[in-house]
Amino acid sequence: MKTRPVCITGIGVLSGAGVGREAFREALARGEVTSLVEEWPGPFGGVRPIRVARIPAFDPRSLLPAGRLRRMTEGSRAGVVAAVLAERDAQERGAGGAVPPQRRAVVLGTGLGPLETTGEIMALLAREGPPGAEPFLFIESLHNSPAGHSCIVLDCRGPTLTPVSGDASGLAAVIEGVNLIREWRADRAYAGGWEEIPPFLVGLLAQLLPTGRSIPLLGAGAAVFRLEADPVRGAPYAWIVSSARGHDPTARDLDYGTDPSVPRQVLEGVLKGAGWRWEDVDLLLTAENGFATLGSLEEQVYSDWPVLTAPAESRRRRPALTFGAFAGSGSLIVAAAALALDEGRENCRRALVCLPSWGGGCQAVALSSTPD
Amino acid sequence: MFLPQRGLPAHAASRQWRPGLGAPNKMMNEYGSGKRRIAVTGAGLVSALGGDRREAWGRIREGRSGIGPIRVLTDGGFPVKIGGEASFPVEGTILRPGGWRGLRRSSRTDLMCLLAACEALEGAGYLGVSGAVSGEISEFGVSVGSTTGGMLEGEESILRAASGPKPRRLRAGALLSVPCSQPAVRVSHWAGFTGPCLANTTACSSGAVAVAVAADAIRRGEAPGMLAGGADSLCRLTLSGFGSLKLLDAEPCRPFDASRRGLSLGEGAGILVLEDWDRARHRGVRILAEFLDYGTSCDAHHLTSADPNGLGAAAALRTALERSSREPGDVDYINAHGTGTPLNDASEVTALRAVFGPLVRRIPVSSTKSLFGHALGAAGGLEAVVTVMALETQVLPPTVGWKGGDESFDLDIVPGIARPARIRMALSNNFGFGGGNCTLAFAAAETP
């Protein structure tokens, strides 16, 4: 897995902090974004206040052609805009040379897909029956619409994938993007994730989760990375040197796993792939997002594990607590790692991102500030 | 044996890279000539043709289409009333109620996927007499493509809650199955697998892409074997959505026929057991076929209309051949995407002609969507299973409803009923909304 090094040459981010990498970076340093409090009926009456970090309104006309904008819902925009921002960022940093369209891939993951659009269609079907269906909404209700739009906007004619892997779908996409390049199926990939948090989902969570179970800050967002094979011009943010994936079959439905040995095996796998020891890791980014089951799982993973020769806590960061659960489907956490490596903040040269996701999945990548 | 240089991307040619011809670096040693071989050791099929692949194959051989009245959607008003609705009795299978605790929360899509996975594992010799999955494959993974997951149950819950004078509470159980990752998750949970649990949704090519991604996971050593394919059920969203796009035919679809007017939606699940070739040989199981490789591409043209020049589809076909180290002349059968819409079929024929040239007239082609309808995310899985069965039995599946008449389609369409043939290598095409194309390449396990 260490052959044909793959690096991040551009980053495009939309988050509760706003549009662009700098807004994200500043919020990361600050440790907070502006969130709105939305109120929804609870499962047994009463009102549940839920905090949501939404992407602030922005004008996409400078980023996307008007003709394309007309063909996409607001929900589709985040992923496509992030991909365009990643391309612009890479160009501004003078990265890479020309890559033919047939060798450019797009991999955009999402855990829940365009829920708002699906909700709109359901409302139409409830009101008018099947004749109420609208072609535009139907097309935009497909999970892979943002990837399809991105392919058109960026003229990518290579592989296109839309991984769905719970709230780590963005990380799953990054892993697939890296694999496509490593295995010579593409030379450049726009890979990352997006997730919208429409009122439909917030209302659903308000109803589904028992009253006693708190609902943490939820976040919308998207992060897309321009990945390419080494060597490249310019200064990459980071190299992705290895990845590992596993699954906890004891997880229940949309909940997180409970077996700490699964994330541990994944972590061991990614360290082995990178040729690192635990003490080589300067930064560990975990999934913790305020949901109790995930917090409990990660607590078990990182405490009392003999492999950890130094306390994990001092190197551990939890970006999802800042940007909200589900934000970018894990891709914002990868962005946080890449930016930390780029800045060399905290003497950071080697970072791990390990994300258990709902349904029992667990994925990890190792990022380095050098090709290793 | 190898394709001419025109088939290669410019940058690859400049690096003197040829699939199977030397390697520019260590990676190509692994993924070029010396790449790990993948065996197909099991296959499961749930479709409008029946609850298992043997039953389906019997009907395929006779050319008996499963497209008929849709009963699963009881509310009226849909633009068409027919489709390829699957029949799959759960009673009598190891998934009977009480047999597995996850069953009661499973959607129709999940159930079909689980049943196909059961059949595939049983065929591969990994299911004990008690129905338990062999512990020796706990490191296996799952890769399933789906377009709408458990949308059927989700929309029922939403529409029920929205009907009536006062909004009612949504049923949590139904909504938990909606995400497109759930079919893969259910199978992983049921089988107790700890390997990668992958899901992918690229519209109508989802199932094929899932097979491709699974094979790569085995080749890079992520798992010794994978269950891979696609699963989708009929639902209001797709039936009304395709209706709004005017893509549905009120009569059973007739792919490649001059009178074709659109597609018939279908549902089902098609799952393959893919595993390392040497492992399969070592344990002495019957290998149904070899998975060679695949090609993927994107039209980057339009979200719902295929590129009329078929450039993306042709690129996927060429890549599949190149990565499989095969020439166009090696192909003995093509399971076409063949939806039955006027534009899609024409675009696919253009792509086939571009890749195969004059050879296209002698390579048998069929669209099995004429038998079980277009099962969207499941289509790639269903058609991969059918392609494997064609290689296994040396029989070409037919295109029901095809009577010819379109003289611009200079293909050897297999009409009416199945016919025996010598099939050493076969391709399966799937193209989807969003512009994604995927071609899978399989070979007979032994030279026929």
Side-chain angles (χ1 to χ4, degrees):
Chain A
M1 285 290 281
K2 287 191 70 185
T3 50
R4 207 183 191 207
V6 176
C7 54
I8 297 173
T9 57
I11 299 178
V13 194
L14 290 86
S15 68
V19 175
R21 187 194 56 206
E22 286 313 308
F24 177 74
R25 197 195 298 260
E26 284 163 17
L28 200 59
R30 226 176 30 244
E32 64 173 2
V33 293
T34 308
S35 61
L36 306 166
V37 178
E38 300 182 5
E39 296 192 329
W40 291 88
F44 306 106
V47 167
R48 295 189 86 163
I50 297 173
R51 286 191 310 135
V52 185
R54 298 198 177 284
I55 302 167
F58 67 99
D59 184 356
R61 284 176 297 183
S62 63
L63 295 162
L64 294 169
R68 185 55 37 200
L69 271 172
R70 276 198 305 275
R71 291 180 172 85
M72 62 176 84
T73 55
E74 243 174 77
S76 277
R77 281 182 196 166
V80 185
V81 166
V84 170
L85 287 172
E87 171 63 15
R88 288 194 180 182
D89 185 37
Q91 285 178 7
E92 282 166 14
R93 290 167 68 101
V99 171
Q102 291 78 8
R103 300 291 298 171
R104 301 201 288 251
V106 170
V107 193
L108 294 186
T110 175
L112 294 167
L115 272 183
E116 177 138 35
T117 308
T118 308
E120 274 183 63
I121 295 176
M122 289 302 123
L124 276 172
L125 290 180
R127 217 168 40 238
E128 301 171 29
E134 284 187 13
F136 170 69
L137 288 179
F138 173 57
I139 297 160
E140 288 292 289
S141 76
L142 300 173
H143 287 49
N144 66 323
S145 276
H149 286 300
S150 300
C151 286
I152 293 170
V153 170
L154 297 168
D155 193 20
C156 297
R157 294 163 188 265
T160 172
L161 305 173
T162 299
V164 185
S165 190
D167 48 341
S169 301
L171 175 56
V174 169
I175 292 173
E176 291 298 354
V178 169
N179 288 337
L180 288 172
I181 295 172
R182 284 214 174 115
E183 289 154 21
W184 292 79
R185 295 191 186 275
D187 293 327
R188 177 175 292 167
Y190 300 88
W194 58 277
E195 210 71 80
E196 52 177 354
I197 305 289
F200 177 72
L201 175 66
V202 185
L204 208 60
L205 285 171
Q207 282 212 356
L208 294 185
L209 294 180
T211 314
R213 200 164 153 188
S214 67
I215 300 175
L217 170 70
L218 304 174
V224 175
F225 309 92
R226 197 178 97 170
L227 306 174
E228 46 207 315
D230 197 45
V232 291
R233 290 200 305 264
Y237 285 92
W239 276 261
I240 298 178
V241 293
S242 77
S243 63
R245 301 186 277 203
H247 182 77
D248 179 354
T250 64
R252 281 174 63 87
D253 293 317
L254 293 187
D255 213 340
Y256 298 93
T258 54
D259 181 358
S261 72
V262 174
R264 285 176 174 180
Q265 282 169 18
V266 168
L267 281 164
E268 286 176 345
V270 78
L271 285 170
K272 188 179 169 192
W276 299 352
R277 297 162 303 167
W278 173 251
E279 48 267 37
D280 295 329
V281 177
D282 301 312
L283 184 65
L284 169 69
L285 290 113
T286 64
E288 188 174 342
N289 58 14
F291 278 100
T293 43
L294 178 59
S296 162
L297 173 67
E298 291 198 325
E299 176 65 22
Q300 290 180 71
V301 171
Y302 298 110
S303 61
D304 198 24
W305 184 22
V307 170
L308 303 183
T309 49
E313 199 51 42
S314 61
R315 317 170 198 186
R316 188 172 164 196
R317 302 289 179 270
R318 302 163 172 86
L321 293 178
T322 299
F323 296 98
F326 316 152
S329 206
S331 58
L332 293 189
I333 301 177
V334 181
L339 290 175
L341 290 167
D342 184 48
E343 290 175 0
R345 215 167 353 108
E346 305 169 77
N347 292 322
C348 183
R349 291 184 304 114
R350 290 172 170 180
L352 285 186
V353 176
C354 180
L355 306 182
S357 53
W358 68 58
C362 184
Q363 305 167 74
V365 287
L367 298 98
S368 171
S369 59
T370 61
D372 268 5
Chain B
M1 188 66 188
F2 299 101
L3 287 173
Q5 190 162 326
R6 63 176 168 74
L8 286 170
H11 81 287
S14 70
R15 288 178 195 170
Q16 297 299 302
W17 170 55
R18 299 288 184 281
L21 281 183
N25 68 9
K26 189 177 160 193
M27 208 64 193
M28 282 316 299
N29 280 330
E30 191 176 347
Y31 292 95
S33 58
K35 71 184 177 188
R36 202 178 276 192
R37 293 177 73 187
I38 306 286
V40 181
T41 56
L45 192 70
V46 174
S47 70
L49 301 178
D52 63 62
R53 73 181 181 112
R54 296 287 167 206
E55 186 184 354
W57 193 244
R59 292 182 65 173
I60 289 171
R61 289 185 70 128
E62 293 165 8
R64 288 163 56 203
S65 171
I67 297 171
I70 295 175
R71 297 187 181 88
V72 70
L73 300 172
T74 51
D75 33 357
F78 291 107
V80 300
K81 295 178 172 53
I82 59 162
E85 185 174 317
S87 58
F88 53 98
V90 174
E91 293 76 24
T93 72
I94 62 166
L95 293 177
R96 66 193 181 282
W100 178 57
R101 72 179 170 88
L103 193 67
R104 67 185 170 83
R105 294 189 298 274
S106 295
S107 67
R108 184 176 174 86
T109 301
D110 296 343
L111 281 178
M112 292 189 287
C113 193
L114 284 160
L115 285 168
C118 274
E119 187 190 10
L121 282 176
E122 190 172 26
Y126 284 130
L127 219 54
V129 282
S130 63
V133 179
S134 166
E136 69 179 278
I137 56 168
S138 62
E139 291 178 356
F140 270 38
V142 179
S143 174
V144 177
S146 184
T147 300
T148 53
M151 182 56 70
L152 175 68
E153 289 75 10
E155 64 194 12
E156 277 169 4
S157 173
I158 293 167
L159 294 176
R160 192 180 299 118
S163 66
K166 218 167 94 176
R168 280 179 283 180
R169 195 169 172 236
L170 293 162
R171 282 174 48 221
L175 295 163
L176 292 175
S177 273
V178 170
C180 292
S181 50
Q182 283 306 87
V185 168
R186 293 271 187 237
V187 172
S188 262
H189 287 187
W190 165 74
F193 289 164
T194 59
C197 178
L198 312 174
N200 179 72
T201 172
T202 47
C204 310
S205 62
S206 303
V209 169
V211 172
V213 165
D216 278 346
I218 297 170
R219 284 197 168 127
R220 72 176 76 94
E222 284 192 89
M226 299 281 290
L227 282 176
D232 250 335
S233 72
L234 287 163
C235 66
R236 292 163 186 81
L237 178 73
T238 49
L239 200 54
S240 57
F242 275 92
S244 72
L245 290 166
K246 313 277 184 224
L247 291 176
L248 299 177
D249 192 340
E251 294 170 40
C253 65
R254 299 170 300 285
F256 301 116
D257 189 77
S259 70
R260 69 190 185 280
R261 280 199 296 270
L263 54 88
S264 301
L265 284 175
E267 63 176 359
I271 300 288
L272 297 174
V273 177
L274 303 180
E275 60 185 303
D276 181 88
W277 181 272
D278 293 337
R279 176 194 168 97
R281 278 276 187 231
H282 180 72
R283 67 189 188 90
V285 68
R286 179 160 175 261
I287 296 174
L288 307 180
E290 178 175 5
F291 175 79
L292 295 174
D293 216 306
Y294 68 95
T296 58
S297 68
C298 184
D299 284 356
H301 167 73
H302 190 276
L303 245 54
T304 55
S305 295
D307 176 358
N309 299 314
L311 295 178
L317 281 156
R318 283 198 185 100
T319 307
L321 289 170
E322 287 164 11
R323 300 280 302 205
S324 302
S325 303
R326 296 293 202 279
E327 285 185 292
D330 294 331
V331 178
D332 295 319
Y333 169 58
I334 298 169
N335 188 300
H337 185 54
T339 57
T341 66
L343 289 177
N344 271 10
D345 288 1
S347 167
E348 187 168 11
V349 172
T350 304
L352 291 172
R353 209 178 279 137
V355 174
F356 293 97
L359 287 173
V360 81
R361 295 194 190 96
R362 71 153 189 80
I363 301 173
V365 175
S366 62
S367 166
T368 41
K369 287 184 177 73
S370 62
L371 290 151
F372 36 62
H374 187 353
L376 304 179
L382 296 179
E383 290 154 25
V385 171
V386 169
T387 305
V388 165
M389 293 191 75
L391 286 160
E392 182 194 2
T393 60
Q394 296 289 297
V395 169
L396 298 165
T399 309
V400 177
W402 181 81
K403 294 189 177 68
D406 193 331
E407 288 174 7
S408 64
F409 289 2
D410 47 352
L411 309 177
D412 176 14
I413 306 277
V414 185
I417 56 170
R419 73 176 190 224
R422 184 178 184 226
I423 316 172
R424 292 157 300 176
M425 187 204 172
L427 300 176
S428 180
N429 281 343
N430 286 101
F431 314 134
F433 279 179
N437 309 295
C438 185
T439 298
L440 303 177
F442 296 91
E446 289 163 16
T447 308

